[in-house]
Amino acid sequence: MIFETSTDKNFCADSVWDDFLSLSKKNPRGDSGNFTKEKLSVFSSIDSTNTALLSLLRSSPKLIDEFFSPTDSGLRLHKMTYASAEQTSGRGRSGRVFYSPSKSGIYFSFVWIPKSEIKNPAMFTISAAVGISRAIEKICKKKSGIKWVNDIYVGEKKVCGILTEGFCGTESGMLEALVVGIGINLTMGFEKVSREILGNAGGIFSEDENPPVDLRSKLLASSLFEIFSILESGENVIGEYREKSILKNQKVSVSPLAAQSEKFYEATVLDISDDAGLIVRLDDGTERELHSGEVTLHKKIG
């Protein structure tokens, strides 16, 4: 694996940690728990932040005991965070490439080891999506929306994707941890990639906008602060997730997972359930609750 530690004073471990501490001191929710500067690494380039953390987990002793409580190793790796200004082999859902060009965005992953059994990993993705949306609105001053289940939009552009991957211990055979990977596009930065491949991906800021040089550090710190605050407190964010949804009452095409025999079909989005399922109505009037698969909007967002 390739790791190049960042020496950019505007986007390095020191700057991000200072911004994180500042947020923690100003906000009564700001209990950083056992997140310390030693758990934060910022790189100028890396192959994939998710891949690197999963490799770290595989080389570690078991992370939880038979009662699903974190072991010493689990406590050490809980909230371990890798961030980078560039990924050379960024990954998205369903094996897709996640383009992560240098200095056009921030790309980061963190390890989460809950204090009890992980029963619904989707709720961690939901929490991350709400946390990122809050951070974008506070730091970038842009209104954002969420497309089920893991995409953040500003206007008609997808500016953020989330990839949550489970880690099963070889010794325990249990789901011991989650690695949550997040890529946020600040500017487009995809000159060498065709629009057909990128689809509706874009940046938070347009070409004629000039975000401040320290914005990447502040946005990363705010994103970590918001997500960790939600997860540590157990805050129920499903109501906020619903409010931010860009899919309600929209006509969509549903693509089931590749392993499923069913082909894609059309439906209208009705709501999001309390356990993060997408409730849709098919053209024949029947309703379904989706917990997997992907949906594509029929029309532009706006």
Side-chain angles (χ1 to χ4, degrees):
M1 293 186 181
I2 300 174
F3 298 82
E4 296 179 13
T5 301
S6 176
T7 57
D8 181 351
K9 66 178 182 179
N10 293 308
F11 187 64
C12 62
D14 286 340
S15 63
V16 175
W17 182 248
D18 287 345
D19 288 331
F20 184 89
L21 283 183
S22 178
L23 288 170
S24 298
K25 292 174 181 178
K26 292 178 182 178
N27 196 307
R29 294 188 305 130
D31 179 9
S32 61
N34 64 347
F35 185 52
T36 63
K37 185 178 178 181
E38 289 68 33
K39 293 188 176 185
L40 173 65
S41 297
V42 179
F43 307 98
S44 59
S45 182
I46 195 172
D47 52 356
S48 162
T49 55
N50 258 41
T51 299
L53 283 178
L54 286 169
S55 178
L56 180 64
L57 295 181
R58 283 192 291 270
S59 65
S60 301
K62 67 176 184 178
L63 307 172
I64 59 173
D65 61 23
E66 61 272 25
F67 304 107
F68 299 99
S69 296
T71 61
D72 289 343
S73 181
L75 292 173
R76 179 177 62 84
L77 293 176
H78 180 52
K79 295 184 182 176
M80 186 71 72
T81 301
Y82 284 178
S84 185
E86 175 190 39
Q87 291 184 123
T88 57
S89 300
R91 298 185 290 109
R93 293 183 74 202
S94 303
R96 296 189 182 95
V97 172
F98 191 93
Y99 291 99
S100 318
S102 178
K103 297 184 179 180
S104 66
I106 53 175
Y107 315 100
F108 64 101
S109 303
F110 63 87
V111 175
W112 193 267
I113 303 175
K115 299 176 182 178
S116 59
E117 182 178 5
I118 300 173
K119 296 182 178 179
N120 187 0
M123 294 305 295
F124 292 86
T125 302
I126 296 301
S127 297
V130 170
I132 294 297
S133 181
R134 289 176 180 177
I136 288 174
E137 294 183 357
K138 290 177 180 178
I139 301 300
C140 303
K141 310 302 180 185
K142 302 276 187 175
K143 182 176 174 58
S144 61
I146 301 174
K147 175 179 172 291
W148 185 88
V149 59
N150 66 324
D151 295 334
I152 312 297
Y153 276 67
V154 170
E156 297 180 359
K157 298 297 183 182
K158 172 187 169 180
V159 302
C160 173
I162 302 169
L163 175 64
T164 301
E165 297 184 286
F167 173 77
C168 290
T170 54
E171 181 181 340
S172 68
M174 298 187 295
L175 181 60
E176 296 187 1
L178 296 172
V179 174
V180 182
I182 299 163
I184 306 176
N185 303 324
L186 294 179
T187 56
M188 197 55 200
F190 300 135
E191 295 85 355
K192 297 181 181 179
V193 184
S194 71
R195 175 49 61 182
E196 290 183 359
I197 295 176
L198 288 175
N200 56 0
I204 296 174
F205 297 96
S206 62
E207 293 180 0
D208 58 350
E209 291 180 291
N210 189 24
V213 294
D214 63 349
L215 187 134
R216 284 183 298 156
S217 175
K218 293 186 181 302
L219 182 57
L220 175 55
S222 181
S223 298
L224 293 172
F225 175 81
E226 295 293 341
I227 296 170
F228 289 171
S229 294
I230 291 169
L231 293 177
E232 282 285 2
S233 66
E235 180 183 358
N236 186 346
V237 297
I238 196 68
E240 186 173 347
Y241 186 87
R242 284 194 188 103
E243 291 176 2
K244 291 179 177 292
S245 173
I246 63 174
L247 292 183
K248 190 170 184 180
N249 300 321
Q250 299 279 5
K251 191 79 170 180
V252 298
S253 292
V254 180
S255 300
L257 291 175
Q260 297 176 351
S261 59
E262 189 177 24
K263 296 182 179 179
F264 81 91
Y265 56 90
E266 296 184 351
T268 300
V269 175
L270 301 179
D271 204 353
I272 295 170
S273 66
D274 288 344
D275 61 349
L278 189 71
I279 303 172
V280 301
R281 181 175 60 235
L282 280 63
D283 290 342
D284 63 6
T286 60
E287 295 184 7
R288 294 184 181 180
E289 183 173 333
L290 310 178
H291 288 278
S292 62
E294 296 185 358
V295 295
T296 303
L297 272 170
H298 278 202
K299 64 179 184 178
K300 290 184 177 181
I301 303 161

mmCIF file of all heavy atoms in Angstrom, residues 21 26 50 55 57-58 86 111 115 117 134 142 156 160-161 186 199 212 217 235 267-268 275 294:
data_model
loop_
_atom_site.group_PDB
_atom_site.id
_atom_site.type_symbol
_atom_site.label_atom_id
_atom_site.label_comp_id
_atom_site.label_asym_id
_atom_site.label_seq_id
_atom_site.Cartn_x
_atom_site.Cartn_y
_atom_site.Cartn_z
ATOM 1 N N LEU A 21 -10.835 19.978 17.867
ATOM 2 C CA LEU A 21 -10.848 20.407 19.262
ATOM 3 C C LEU A 21 -11.643 21.685 19.447
ATOM 4 O O LEU A 21 -12.365 21.851 20.435
ATOM 5 C CB LEU A 21 -9.416 20.607 19.752
ATOM 6 C CG LEU A 21 -8.601 19.361 20.094
ATOM 7 C CD1 LEU A 21 -7.240 19.765 20.634
ATOM 8 C CD2 LEU A 21 -9.336 18.479 21.104
ATOM 9 N N LYS A 26 -16.560 24.250 21.777
ATOM 10 C CA LYS A 26 -17.659 25.196 21.582
ATOM 11 C C LYS A 26 -19.029 24.559 21.732
ATOM 12 O O LYS A 26 -20.011 25.249 21.978
ATOM 13 C CB LYS A 26 -17.561 25.830 20.183
ATOM 14 C CG LYS A 26 -16.371 26.756 20.003
ATOM 15 C CD LYS A 26 -16.326 27.290 18.576
ATOM 16 C CE LYS A 26 -15.124 28.190 18.357
ATOM 17 N NZ LYS A 26 -15.043 28.683 16.954
ATOM 18 N N ASN A 50 -10.461 3.087 2.921
ATOM 19 C CA ASN A 50 -11.177 1.908 3.405
ATOM 20 C C ASN A 50 -10.288 0.670 3.370
ATOM 21 O O ASN A 50 -10.204 -0.096 4.336
ATOM 22 C CB ASN A 50 -12.432 1.664 2.554
ATOM 23 C CG ASN A 50 -13.706 2.131 3.233
ATOM 24 O OD1 ASN A 50 -13.718 3.192 3.848
ATOM 25 N ND2 ASN A 50 -14.765 1.373 3.097
ATOM 26 N N SER A 55 -7.219 -3.528 6.138
ATOM 27 C CA SER A 55 -5.954 -4.257 6.276
ATOM 28 C C SER A 55 -5.429 -4.159 7.704
ATOM 29 O O SER A 55 -4.921 -5.141 8.261
ATOM 30 C CB SER A 55 -4.922 -3.695 5.293
ATOM 31 O OG SER A 55 -3.683 -4.343 5.430
ATOM 32 N N LEU A 57 -7.241 -3.791 10.402
ATOM 33 C CA LEU A 57 -8.084 -4.634 11.246
ATOM 34 C C LEU A 57 -7.705 -6.108 11.110
ATOM 35 O O LEU A 57 -7.683 -6.853 12.095
ATOM 36 C CB LEU A 57 -9.558 -4.438 10.886
ATOM 37 C CG LEU A 57 -10.152 -3.056 11.148
ATOM 38 C CD1 LEU A 57 -11.623 -3.029 10.757
ATOM 39 C CD2 LEU A 57 -9.987 -2.638 12.603
ATOM 40 N N ARG A 58 -7.411 -6.529 9.893
ATOM 41 C CA ARG A 58 -7.060 -7.938 9.672
ATOM 42 C C ARG A 58 -5.768 -8.337 10.376
ATOM 43 O O ARG A 58 -5.584 -9.503 10.737
ATOM 44 C CB ARG A 58 -6.940 -8.213 8.168
ATOM 45 C CG ARG A 58 -8.273 -8.346 7.453
ATOM 46 C CD ARG A 58 -8.090 -8.907 6.053
ATOM 47 N NE ARG A 58 -7.430 -7.960 5.177
ATOM 48 C CZ ARG A 58 -8.076 -7.064 4.429
ATOM 49 N NH1 ARG A 58 -9.405 -7.009 4.465
ATOM 50 N NH2 ARG A 58 -7.413 -6.247 3.650
ATOM 51 N N GLU A 86 -6.074 12.608 -1.767
ATOM 52 C CA GLU A 86 -6.174 11.869 -3.025
ATOM 53 C C GLU A 86 -6.220 10.377 -2.739
ATOM 54 O O GLU A 86 -5.585 9.896 -1.797
ATOM 55 C CB GLU A 86 -4.956 12.165 -3.914
ATOM 56 C CG GLU A 86 -4.909 11.356 -5.204
ATOM 57 C CD GLU A 86 -3.578 11.491 -5.932
ATOM 58 O OE1 GLU A 86 -2.528 11.519 -5.248
ATOM 59 O OE2 GLU A 86 -3.588 11.567 -7.166
ATOM 60 N N VAL A 111 -12.960 3.669 11.687
ATOM 61 C CA VAL A 111 -13.375 2.389 12.252
ATOM 62 C C VAL A 111 -14.384 2.652 13.357
ATOM 63 O O VAL A 111 -14.175 3.538 14.199
ATOM 64 C CB VAL A 111 -12.163 1.618 12.824
ATOM 65 C CG1 VAL A 111 -12.625 0.342 13.534
ATOM 66 C CG2 VAL A 111 -11.158 1.298 11.725
ATOM 67 N N LYS A 115 -20.513 -0.927 21.124
ATOM 68 C CA LYS A 115 -20.440 -1.587 22.430
ATOM 69 C C LYS A 115 -21.443 -2.728 22.535
ATOM 70 O O LYS A 115 -21.571 -3.342 23.597
ATOM 71 C CB LYS A 115 -20.672 -0.567 23.543
ATOM 72 C CG LYS A 115 -19.623 0.541 23.564
ATOM 73 C CD LYS A 115 -19.941 1.594 24.611
ATOM 74 C CE LYS A 115 -18.905 2.715 24.578
ATOM 75 N NZ LYS A 115 -19.217 3.794 25.553
ATOM 76 N N GLU A 117 -23.935 -5.708 19.842
ATOM 77 C CA GLU A 117 -23.985 -6.388 18.549
ATOM 78 C C GLU A 117 -24.487 -5.443 17.456
ATOM 79 O O GLU A 117 -25.435 -4.669 17.650
ATOM 80 C CB GLU A 117 -24.918 -7.602 18.648
ATOM 81 C CG GLU A 117 -24.998 -8.413 17.373
ATOM 82 C CD GLU A 117 -25.899 -9.623 17.520
ATOM 83 O OE1 GLU A 117 -26.523 -9.761 18.602
ATOM 84 O OE2 GLU A 117 -25.983 -10.425 16.572
ATOM 85 N N ARG A 134 -25.017 17.855 7.674
ATOM 86 C CA ARG A 134 -24.913 18.945 8.652
ATOM 87 C C ARG A 134 -23.598 19.707 8.473
ATOM 88 O O ARG A 134 -23.573 20.952 8.502
ATOM 89 C CB ARG A 134 -24.969 18.380 10.071
ATOM 90 C CG ARG A 134 -26.324 17.851 10.504
ATOM 91 C CD ARG A 134 -26.226 17.239 11.902
ATOM 92 N NE ARG A 134 -27.496 16.698 12.381
ATOM 93 C CZ ARG A 134 -27.656 16.065 13.540
ATOM 94 N NH1 ARG A 134 -26.608 15.889 14.332
ATOM 95 N NH2 ARG A 134 -28.844 15.602 13.903
ATOM 96 N N LYS A 142 -23.987 25.597 2.166
ATOM 97 C CA LYS A 142 -24.752 25.109 1.033
ATOM 98 C C LYS A 142 -25.839 24.160 1.533
ATOM 99 O O LYS A 142 -25.588 23.305 2.373
ATOM 100 C CB LYS A 142 -23.850 24.345 0.060
ATOM 101 C CG LYS A 142 -22.671 25.147 -0.486
ATOM 102 C CD LYS A 142 -23.083 25.992 -1.668
ATOM 103 C CE LYS A 142 -21.860 26.646 -2.300
ATOM 104 N NZ LYS A 142 -22.202 27.380 -3.530
ATOM 105 N N GLU A 156 -28.273 19.749 -8.091
ATOM 106 C CA GLU A 156 -28.472 18.551 -8.908
ATOM 107 C C GLU A 156 -27.240 17.658 -8.953
ATOM 108 O O GLU A 156 -27.206 16.684 -9.703
ATOM 109 C CB GLU A 156 -28.855 18.952 -10.333
ATOM 110 C CG GLU A 156 -30.176 19.708 -10.403
ATOM 111 C CD GLU A 156 -30.534 20.101 -11.826
ATOM 112 O OE1 GLU A 156 -29.740 19.787 -12.748
ATOM 113 O OE2 GLU A 156 -31.592 20.711 -12.021
ATOM 114 N N CYS A 160 -21.142 13.687 -2.591
ATOM 115 C CA CYS A 160 -20.577 12.809 -1.559
ATOM 116 C C CYS A 160 -21.161 11.413 -1.674
ATOM 117 O O CYS A 160 -22.364 11.255 -1.920
ATOM 118 C CB CYS A 160 -20.858 13.379 -0.164
ATOM 119 S SG CYS A 160 -20.380 12.295 1.209
ATOM 120 N N GLY A 161 -20.305 10.410 -1.513
ATOM 121 C CA GLY A 161 -20.750 9.034 -1.442
ATOM 122 C C GLY A 161 -20.204 8.379 -0.180
ATOM 123 O O GLY A 161 -19.162 8.786 0.346
ATOM 124 N N LEU A 186 -15.242 18.736 -3.284
ATOM 125 C CA LEU A 186 -15.371 20.186 -3.091
ATOM 126 C C LEU A 186 -15.491 20.890 -4.431
ATOM 127 O O LEU A 186 -16.337 21.762 -4.622
ATOM 128 C CB LEU A 186 -14.171 20.717 -2.316
ATOM 129 C CG LEU A 186 -14.041 20.241 -0.878
ATOM 130 C CD1 LEU A 186 -12.799 20.828 -0.229
ATOM 131 C CD2 LEU A 186 -15.283 20.597 -0.087
ATOM 132 N N GLY A 199 -21.471 10.503 -14.581
ATOM 133 C CA GLY A 199 -22.897 10.705 -14.354
ATOM 134 C C GLY A 199 -23.170 12.094 -13.809
ATOM 135 O O GLY A 199 -22.714 13.094 -14.362
ATOM 136 N N PRO A 212 -12.056 28.844 0.585
ATOM 137 C CA PRO A 212 -10.823 29.166 1.320
ATOM 138 C C PRO A 212 -9.903 27.955 1.448
ATOM 139 O O PRO A 212 -10.361 26.806 1.434
ATOM 140 C CB PRO A 212 -11.337 29.626 2.689
ATOM 141 C CG PRO A 212 -12.718 29.073 2.800
ATOM 142 C CD PRO A 212 -13.258 29.026 1.409
ATOM 143 N N SER A 217 -9.742 21.193 5.782
ATOM 144 C CA SER A 217 -9.478 20.820 7.171
ATOM 145 C C SER A 217 -10.720 21.024 8.032
ATOM 146 O O SER A 217 -11.095 20.155 8.827
ATOM 147 C CB SER A 217 -8.312 21.652 7.718
ATOM 148 O OG SER A 217 -8.118 21.391 9.088
ATOM 149 N N GLU A 235 -28.128 9.218 18.998
ATOM 150 C CA GLU A 235 -29.185 10.100 18.488
ATOM 151 C C GLU A 235 -29.947 9.432 17.342
ATOM 152 O O GLU A 235 -29.347 8.876 16.418
ATOM 153 C CB GLU A 235 -28.576 11.410 17.998
ATOM 154 C CG GLU A 235 -29.598 12.396 17.436
ATOM 155 C CD GLU A 235 -28.943 13.650 16.883
ATOM 156 O OE1 GLU A 235 -27.701 13.769 16.970
ATOM 157 O OE2 GLU A 235 -29.675 14.506 16.349
ATOM 158 N N ALA A 267 -40.985 2.500 -9.850
ATOM 159 C CA ALA A 267 -41.817 2.677 -8.655
ATOM 160 C C ALA A 267 -41.820 4.149 -8.256
ATOM 161 O O ALA A 267 -41.018 4.948 -8.749
ATOM 162 C CB ALA A 267 -41.285 1.816 -7.509
ATOM 163 N N THR A 268 -42.725 4.486 -7.355
ATOM 164 C CA THR A 268 -42.794 5.826 -6.781
ATOM 165 C C THR A 268 -42.409 5.742 -5.307
ATOM 166 O O THR A 268 -42.916 4.873 -4.583
ATOM 167 C CB THR A 268 -44.209 6.418 -6.906
ATOM 168 O OG1 THR A 268 -44.565 6.499 -8.291
ATOM 169 C CG2 THR A 268 -44.269 7.812 -6.286
ATOM 170 N N ASP A 275 -36.322 1.872 10.165
ATOM 171 C CA ASP A 275 -35.057 1.146 10.114
ATOM 172 C C ASP A 275 -34.350 1.360 8.777
ATOM 173 O O ASP A 275 -33.598 0.510 8.308
ATOM 174 C CB ASP A 275 -35.250 -0.340 10.402
ATOM 175 C CG ASP A 275 -36.164 -1.022 9.396
ATOM 176 O OD1 ASP A 275 -36.823 -0.322 8.592
ATOM 177 O OD2 ASP A 275 -36.217 -2.271 9.396
ATOM 178 N N GLU A 294 -30.361 -0.384 -5.667
ATOM 179 C CA GLU A 294 -30.113 1.018 -5.958
ATOM 180 C C GLU A 294 -31.295 1.607 -6.709
ATOM 181 O O GLU A 294 -32.028 0.900 -7.401
ATOM 182 C CB GLU A 294 -28.834 1.181 -6.792
ATOM 183 C CG GLU A 294 -27.586 0.728 -6.060
ATOM 184 C CD GLU A 294 -26.321 1.012 -6.851
ATOM 185 O OE1 GLU A 294 -26.429 1.528 -7.983
ATOM 186 O OE2 GLU A 294 -25.233 0.715 -6.336
#
